Amino acid sequence: MATKNKKLSLKDKYQYLTRDMAWEPSYQKKEDIFPYERFEGIKITDWDKWEDPFRLTMDAYWKYQAEKEKKLYAIFDAFAQNNGHQNISDARYVNALKLFLTGVSPLEYGAFQGYAKVGRHFSGAGARVACQMQSIDELRHVQTQIHAMSHYNKHFNGLHDFAHMHDRVWFLSVPKSFFDDARSAGPFEFLTAISFSFEYVLTNLLFVPFMSGAAYNGDMATVTFGFSAQSDEARHMTLGLEVIKFMLEQHEDNVPIVQHWIDKWFWRGYRLLSLVSMMMDYMLPNKVMSWKDAWEVYYEQNGGALFKDLERYGIRPPKYQDEANKGKHHISHQLWSTFYQYSQATNFHTWIPSEAEMNWLSEQYPDTFDKYYRPRFEHWQKQQEQGERFYNNTLPQLCQVCQVPTLFTEPDDPTQLSHRSLVHDGERYHFCSDGCCDIFKHEPEKYIQAWLPVHQIYQGNCEGADVATVVAKYYHINIGQDNFEYLGSPDHRRWQAIKGNKPLGAGDSKDAA
Amino acid sequence: MSVKALYPYSAEPKDLQANFNGMQLVYVYWRKHLMFCSPFAFLAAPDMPLGDFFEQVLGPAIAAHPDSAGLDFSRVEWQLDDQPFTPDLAASLKDSGIGHKSMLTLTTPGLEGIGGSAT
């Protein structure tokens, strides 16, 4: 009797469960079913040329992810039961988590939505399946990040309403608008923005600092999340490279379109990552490496090799790469100065670096820190010691595109802001750089609609006319708990009590807060 | 250039002056004083005299800077939207040509930030 081979080979299984799930429509036109596939100008001649980064089928995917999930939650439980938060380097570290939870975790959710949509709108089955899996990964990441950090919410302030804050708080419009920009683009631009420019080119500058930062500062919950996400990130990076090569190989007309998107999204990503630069240089009590070193390794070296490889397709490095390379000496200091002076309106604390930290910064940034930034911090420190801690009580001008305050300096002159301005249809707009100004010029109709937090407050759309009301009522930041200077904050006092340095005063317990 | 879309794409600016309840935005950038991280964004009445704007609006905003004590508004080199500008303290913002979202830039020779560091 002939025996039938019951078990499919992996290759066959992949073929049956992904590619063969597609069919040729007979009673609807293909372009009506996939209306978004062509308006961006990208020409696809053969979707079958799409190579999947990981030839995964859904059943294998569930099994693999479930295993990881089991281990991850076991460690979260152990961390909570052992009061793992007491073993971190210093409570100042938790402020990096506050930035991550409000600024990054909601982006994972945005990525989930974005990939789900794109997965619907490609006619190629291989691309659809890859996007669908990444979509589920992103949903898993937002959930596991929230769970990893939920333990800290029991012991520290500022973590209580991250999703609400992401939609409203001024500096969180930077990450939010970045993703909204990508998600409101066509499917090919979305993949170039998120899969390639962000996940492939720049993700190491987000993930490595936060995850190594967690490891260096004793945060085992977040480290474990990082390990659990790592294999997904590897898959996402492979997808990022595949999508670029696929577009470039399909038709030569795609090259200039893709090049423009690379220029745009490199700059958008670089501006977004300026938040990470200050986290690395200022917010981690135990430093991993400086932002400058990270930029050199993860962008200048790795990115350099990548763009060398893409040269054969007619792709050159991103247009404003040189400006970004020059900025590595400055942006972390400029960002921290900004958050220091607007700490009354943030859900995390800021502080003046200690003498040892300032010396570290001098060593890491020999050409810039002592000359341009140390005098600023030392002046503020003196003010603080006299009981006049500096807060800037006037709202800042924001860049129309990246929505960061226009705080960056000229690439070749750190004493002048690289402010740019233009008039479009009778309205004046302001930008932080040539990079952002160019992005605006290319699609002005998109960016004239920007929801700029400062302008929204002045229009009266944020529940109040003064900063305190906006912060408390519109942002849900608890004044005196979540915001202001770190020294003397409830978080600081609670940490001292944990370490046995000083008894906890009345009103300092988290429950009372 | 313009947005590529499946349909005719049009949009209205979100920050038209009409949305500011009779007020306007004015930005002010004090060169070489980067302790204030970016230009200030002020909400002001278009008929406010420039002298009042300097005294009542700009003055308090920069008061925290040690250089503000030595600042003489009559000796500032001004620019309005990157063009040279001579303020008339009695004229209103509007009559001075300071439009919605205009930016005034101050250059103060001799005052170059804390310790001359542009801070």
Side-chain angles (χ1 to χ4, degrees):
Chain A
M1 199 176 86
T3 53
K4 222 171 144 194
N5 184 6
K6 280 186 187 162
K7 219 167 161 153
L8 292 169
S9 73
L10 274 178
K11 197 177 162 211
D12 289 341
K13 202 165 156 184
Y14 172 78
Q15 187 67 32
Y16 285 125
L17 290 177
T18 61
R19 301 294 173 111
D20 286 359
M21 301 286 275
W23 64 89
E24 281 301 315
S26 53
Y27 57 89
Q28 291 287 345
K29 280 186 287 183
K30 205 166 181 179
E31 53 268 36
D32 291 343
I33 301 176
F34 301 104
Y36 292 175
E37 205 168 86
R38 270 177 301 174
F39 80 90
E40 296 173 276
I42 293 291
K43 293 176 181 160
I44 303 298
T45 52
D46 183 5
W47 272 109
D48 287 336
K49 290 278 185 335
W50 174 279
E51 291 287 339
D52 262 15
F54 274 44
R55 292 172 169 265
L56 266 181
T57 54
M58 266 302 151
D59 57 337
Y61 176 85
W62 291 130
K63 196 175 154 202
Y64 184 56
Q65 299 297 64
E67 282 300 314
K68 290 201 297 188
E69 214 74 332
K70 262 188 244 165
K71 288 180 198 153
L72 179 64
Y73 283 94
I75 291 174
F76 287 170
D77 283 348
F79 184 80
Q81 281 166 21
N82 292 316
N83 282 321
H85 67 282
Q86 298 187 356
N87 298 324
I88 56 173
S89 57
D90 184 78
R92 287 181 304 161
Y93 164 75
V94 182
N95 293 288
L97 293 181
K98 299 174 192 177
L99 184 62
F100 195 86
L101 184 64
T102 54
V104 180
S105 300
L107 300 186
E108 307 269 12
Y109 191 76
F112 148 68
Q113 292 178 311
Y115 281 100
K117 178 183 161 197
V118 170
R120 158 65 182 83
H121 284 292
F122 282 138
S123 63
R128 279 213 304 271
V129 171
C131 290
Q132 182 189 12
M133 278 192 202
Q134 179 155 354
S135 168
I136 302 167
D137 279 347
E138 304 291 0
L139 191 56
R140 192 177 90 86
H141 290 182
V142 65
Q143 288 170 337
T144 45
Q145 281 169 25
I146 294 165
H147 286 140
M149 287 174 234
S150 64
H151 177 73
Y152 290 93
N153 182 43
K154 297 176 194 158
H155 302 280
F156 299 96
N157 293 320
L159 294 145
H160 59 280
D161 215 353
F162 68 94
H164 176 93
M165 290 183 188
H166 184 74
D167 287 339
R168 297 185 174 202
V169 176
W170 62 281
F171 70 93
L172 295 171
S173 81
V174 175
K176 182 182 168 67
S177 63
F178 174 93
F179 246 83
D180 286 353
D181 191 348
R183 286 192 300 158
S184 55
F188 289 107
E189 184 179 347
F190 175 82
L191 287 193
T192 309
I194 306 304
S195 289
F196 179 71
S197 301
F198 203 67
E199 298 266 13
Y200 193 84
V201 183
L202 298 172
T203 201
N204 278 332
L205 284 155
L206 176 69
F207 239 67
V208 174
F210 270 108
M211 297 314 146
S212 306
Y216 273 57
N217 288 280
D219 175 8
M220 290 321 292
T222 305
V223 173
T224 312
F225 158 75
F227 280 128
S228 176
Q230 211 164 36
S231 54
D232 303 338
E233 295 299 336
R235 190 168 57 238
H236 301 171
M237 288 180 77
T238 324
L239 173 61
L241 194 57
E242 171 56 26
V243 72
I244 283 291
K245 291 192 170 171
F246 176 70
M247 284 192 284
L248 295 172
E249 281 168 3
Q250 285 289 307
H251 204 288
E252 61 183 6
D253 289 355
N254 295 346
V255 176
I257 303 175
V258 170
Q259 179 71 60
H260 170 73
W261 287 337
I262 291 175
D263 291 347
K264 169 182 172 183
W265 286 100
F266 166 78
W267 190 255
R268 295 285 270 126
Y270 170 66
R271 278 296 185 242
L272 176 61
L273 288 176
S274 60
L275 290 166
V276 181
S277 75
M278 83 167 175
M279 190 281 292
M280 287 185 80
D281 284 345
Y282 287 87
M283 299 175 80
L284 296 178
N286 292 339
K287 316 285 185 214
V288 177
M289 67 201 297
S290 68
W291 167 258
K292 175 173 131 309
D293 285 354
W295 183 259
E296 285 169 358
V297 172
Y298 296 116
Y299 184 73
E300 291 180 17
Q301 289 169 28
N302 295 0
L306 166 70
F307 284 106
K308 192 106 199 99
D309 186 39
L310 292 176
E311 228 172 55
R312 65 196 159 101
Y313 297 102
I315 290 292
R316 52 157 176 76
K319 188 172 174 192
Y320 288 106
Q321 170 184 279
D322 293 347
E323 276 79 344
N325 291 345
K326 287 176 184 172
K328 72 188 172 193
H329 301 284
H330 298 280
I331 60 170
S332 67
H333 319 301
Q334 295 171 350
L335 262 287
W336 188 245
S337 298
T338 300
F339 280 88
Y340 179 86
Q341 64 193 269
Y342 287 117
S343 251
Q344 69 274 41
T346 57
N347 65 312
F348 61 88
H349 301 293
T350 55
W351 54 87
I352 295 287
S354 68
E355 187 54 33
E357 285 172 317
M358 285 215 241
N359 292 339
W360 180 81
L361 289 164
S362 300
E363 273 169 38
Q364 299 297 317
Y365 296 94
D367 301 330
T368 56
F369 185 74
D370 285 353
K371 196 167 174 196
Y372 302 110
Y373 304 106
R374 189 188 272 268
R376 192 172 305 178
F377 291 122
E378 287 182 344
H379 171 71
W380 285 338
Q381 184 164 28
K382 223 163 52 197
Q383 296 292 106
Q384 202 167 320
E385 282 161 7
Q386 291 164 10
E388 290 169 24
R389 203 280 194 193
F390 175 62
Y391 293 105
N392 188 339
N393 291 313
T394 310
L395 305 183
Q397 180 187 58
L398 304 180
C399 174
Q400 189 74 26
V401 171
C402 70
Q403 307 203 6
V404 178
T406 49
L407 60 92
F408 300 99
T409 51
E410 291 286 3
D412 294 311
D413 185 357
T415 71
Q416 306 283 347
L417 295 180
S418 57
H419 170 268
R420 301 288 182 271
S421 169
L422 58 76
V423 174
H424 171 77
D425 265 354
E427 286 288 309
R428 184 169 289 279
Y429 297 94
H430 299 269
F431 309 95
C432 70
S433 56
D434 287 321
C436 281
C437 191
D438 269 13
I439 292 169
F440 180 93
K441 283 181 195 162
H442 201 79
E443 293 178 299
E445 304 91 335
K446 191 166 193 179
Y447 300 98
I448 61 173
Q449 303 169 67
W451 193 95
L452 295 181
V454 167
H455 296 179
Q456 289 298 312
I457 291 170
Y458 280 147
Q459 287 180 32
N461 296 334
C462 304
E463 292 187 40
D466 62 291
V467 171
T469 311
V470 171
V471 165
K473 282 180 67 179
Y474 190 66
Y475 291 172
H476 291 188
I477 288 172
N478 295 317
I479 292 181
Q481 302 283 327
D482 306 335
N483 59 350
F484 297 128
E485 166 68 36
Y486 173 72
L487 287 181
S489 66
D491 269 7
H492 181 214
R493 294 202 300 269
R494 199 172 298 120
W495 182 251
Q496 287 182 316
I498 287 171
K499 292 288 143 188
N501 294 336
K502 218 177 157 189
L504 202 60
D508 285 349
S509 84
K510 183 69 166 69
D511 293 339
Chain B
M1 298 296 288
S2 67
V3 168
K4 279 186 195 165
L6 274 171
Y7 48 86
Y9 189 100
S10 68
E12 184 153 296
K14 219 171 191 73
D15 297 316
L16 295 170
Q17 192 176 350
N19 300 344
F20 286 82
N21 308 303
M23 306 289 271
Q24 69 168 79
L25 292 176
V26 183
Y27 299 108
V28 180
Y29 167 32
W30 189 4
R31 279 188 201 279
K32 307 241 169 138
H33 291 79
L34 301 180
M35 179 178 107
F36 303 114
C37 64
S38 65
F40 298 108
F42 294 112
L43 188 67
D47 59 2
M48 187 179 215
L50 206 45
D52 290 358
F53 178 77
F54 290 159
E55 215 170 282
Q56 295 162 24
V57 180
L58 181 57
I62 60 173
H65 200 289
D67 279 357
S68 67
L71 179 65
D72 177 356
F73 279 118
S74 66
R75 293 185 53 211
V76 169
E77 291 168 16
W78 294 94
Q79 283 181 306
L80 173 61
D81 297 325
D82 299 325
Q83 300 300 317
F85 174 71
T86 310
D88 169 1
L89 297 183
S92 68
L93 295 176
K94 198 177 161 201
D95 293 340
S96 304
I98 300 171
H100 177 52
K101 290 191 271 171
S102 276
M103 186 165 99
L104 281 169
T105 304
L106 296 76
T107 308
T108 52
L111 298 177
E112 315 255 287
I114 294 159
S117 68
T119 265

